[in-house]
Amino acid sequence: MAPAIAAIVAAFIAGHPVNIACDADTAKSPTPPPPGYVVESWTQSGGSVSHFLPSLCTDMGKPVGSTDFAHGLATLIHESAIARGV
């Protein structure tokens, strides 16, 4: 799934435009994870930008039905719900 399509899906779930940024490796979450954990993605509640690790953006481009695609899509849905404020 191209980032533009991912943004459309995210906006549909969030109820407002959401940008997809593949920069969670450099744009750190404002809430640091516990020691030993890595943040794969983050979105501020009600926000308009979802930050993903570049590998998750790549996963969303894998073949539909693959485990990698499912992981990327599940993360997109989760972050889009946070963007909605849920």
Side-chain angles (χ1 to χ4, degrees), residues 1 3 10 12 15-16 28 35 39 41 43 46 50 55 58 70-72 74 76 80-81 83:
M1 176 180 327
F12 179 78
H16 58 84
K28 300 299 182 188
V39 173
S41 59
T43 306
S50 290
S55 59
T58 301
H71 180 224
L76 176 69
S80 299

Side-chain angles (χ1 to χ4, degrees), residues 31-60:
T31 307
Y37 288 88
V38 174
V39 173
E40 288 187 317
S41 59
W42 64 274
T43 306
Q44 291 188 343
S45 182
S48 61
V49 179
S50 290
H51 301 269
F52 292 84
L53 285 178
S55 59
L56 277 174
C57 290
T58 301
D59 286 350
M60 285 187 268

Side-chain angles (χ1 to χ4, degrees), residues 1-11 20 76:
M1 176 180 327
I5 295 171
I8 292 168
V9 172
I20 305 299
L76 176 69

